[in-house]
Amino acid sequence: MDNDALLALDPTACTLATGELTATFLPGRGMLGASLRHGGEELLGRVEDLAAAAQAGSTCGIPLLYPWANRLGGLRYQAAGRAVELTPGSPLLHFDSSGLPMHGVPWAQLAWSVSELAADRMKARLDWRRTDLLAVFPFPHRLEMTATLRPDGLTVETTLCADQASAVPVSFGFHPYFRLPGLPRAEWQIELPAMSRLLLDERSIPTAEEAPVPAFDAKLGDRAFDDGFALPDPHAWFSIAGNGRRITVEFVEGYPYAQVFAPCDKDHLAIEPMTAPTNALVSGRGLRLVEPGSLFRATFRMSVQEIP
């Protein structure tokens, strides 16, 4: 999308620029990463029609998945001493084809406010205290997101600040879609670290079992991914390379789980940093709590490098 279309979708759209990189975020629409360009070429997938994605509640670009990433196994969960029952018809929820709550509150329905803005850095905040938001996730808190652009990459830092009166469970993630302009999907060189794959039931909800998988370093070919992983080393690197460019995703801190998503009929690959595994609010597996008055910070970085 061009700048006029982005401003029409969100008049608060902010573009950072340095060197060959530009990055655009939409604070009024969930702090969505709506564009990441290198040398004028778009590196993000599913950004052709953000307005349609916003209306449908679909993921695109670099969305924050909040307050949970991927699916919940049902409409009920219990965390931090609170039992929650979600409303099936809530406009603040999005559901998968099986009727399971998916990706928390859709990005387009969360308006952030910009607190700092410079040519290569921005900071925004979201107060989770509205009655309708608390009906979905009844833990008052504040989120802060800082996006910093350098000539070699983009860093996104998210800080959860718990209120004094309540602990807050941590189950969020991001869903960045990447593409390599001018190169067929089959020719993309993908590098993934050794990980433990989370085995799933028929609803794509993790069971209690894992299976180790070796590192992967090969062309994507016709292979499809839609897998969740536990990371033996939470400071992990993933990359996609080809046509003179390498995009590397580094899990800097706070993300011990990952989802890799690459449908065989689409020209995008998602490498998703996750603070907890799918369904953690229901299962409790890998779920961390931010104690009242405390902070939790999670950071990932997307670097772009020219290669021979």
Side-chain angles (χ1 to χ4, degrees):
M1 296 180 72
D2 60 27
N3 286 340
D4 289 343
L6 290 173
L7 288 170
L9 181 61
D10 179 13
T12 68
C14 299
T15 296
L16 311 178
T18 181
E20 292 293 304
L21 284 177
T22 63
T24 300
F25 288 85
L26 307 183
R29 294 284 194 152
M31 268 298 281
L32 179 78
S35 177
L36 179 63
R37 291 180 176 269
H38 179 248
E41 293 188 301
E42 183 61 67
L43 303 183
L44 298 185
R46 298 185 64 169
V47 293
E48 297 80 11
D49 194 343
L50 296 179
Q55 185 173 3
S58 302
T59 52
C60 53
I62 308 174
L64 170 65
L65 311 177
Y66 200 87
W68 63 83
N70 294 298
R71 298 166 176 83
L72 293 184
L75 293 172
R76 299 177 182 86
Y77 67 88
Q78 185 166 342
R82 296 176 184 257
V84 183
E85 182 158 353
L86 302 172
T87 303
S90 170
L92 287 183
L93 295 176
H94 181 70
F95 298 88
D96 72 2
S97 58
S98 299
L100 298 180
M102 188 78 169
H103 296 329
V105 176
W107 56 270
Q109 301 193 49
L110 295 175
W112 294 60
S113 58
V114 177
S115 55
E116 298 178 21
L117 182 61
D120 60 357
R121 184 176 184 271
M122 69 176 295
K123 186 174 183 178
R125 62 180 288 168
L126 172 68
D127 288 318
W128 197 274
R129 295 183 177 88
R130 280 177 15 206
T131 301
D132 57 346
L133 296 179
L134 291 173
V136 173
F137 190 66
F139 310 97
H141 62 282
R142 183 180 76 255
L143 284 179
E144 296 177 350
M145 191 187 303
T146 303
T148 305
L149 193 67
R150 295 290 181 255
D152 62 344
L154 172 67
T155 300
V156 177
E157 177 184 283
T158 305
T159 303
L160 191 160
C161 312
D163 278 13
Q164 292 290 342
S166 175
V168 183
V170 178
S171 188
F172 67 85
F174 283 81
H175 200 317
Y177 291 92
F178 300 104
R179 57 186 293 271
L180 288 175
L183 187 66
R185 172 196 188 278
E187 296 301 310
W188 299 354
Q189 186 77 19
I190 307 302
E191 187 171 357
L192 309 175
M195 300 179 285
S196 291
R197 185 165 61 89
L198 307 180
L199 302 185
L200 307 178
D201 65 17
E202 67 279 359
R203 303 169 301 158
S204 296
I205 297 296
T207 67
E209 298 181 331
E210 300 180 7
V213 293
F216 180 88
D217 186 1
K219 285 184 167 37
L220 186 55
D222 60 359
R223 177 163 185 166
F225 285 94
D226 190 5
D227 301 282
F229 299 96
L231 305 178
D233 179 0
H235 192 175
W237 285 264
F238 306 73
S239 72
I240 169 176
N243 202 24
R245 191 182 273 127
R246 175 180 288 112
I247 303 169
T248 301
V249 183
E250 177 188 356
F251 290 20
V252 179
E253 62 172 335
Y255 294 112
Y257 295 88
Q259 184 86 11
V260 180
F261 178 60
C264 59
D265 58 343
K266 303 293 183 183
D267 287 336
H268 55 244
L269 168 72
I271 299 170
E272 309 169 36
M274 297 172 60
T275 58
T278 295
N279 199 43
L281 284 177
V282 175
S283 69
R285 179 183 182 184
L287 188 67
R288 287 170 285 182
L289 295 180
V290 183
E291 295 301 324
S294 298
L295 305 178
F296 172 84
R297 183 174 292 109
T299 305
F300 73 103
R301 174 176 169 79
M302 299 154 282
S303 63
V304 184
Q305 176 186 12
E306 293 183 354
I307 59 175

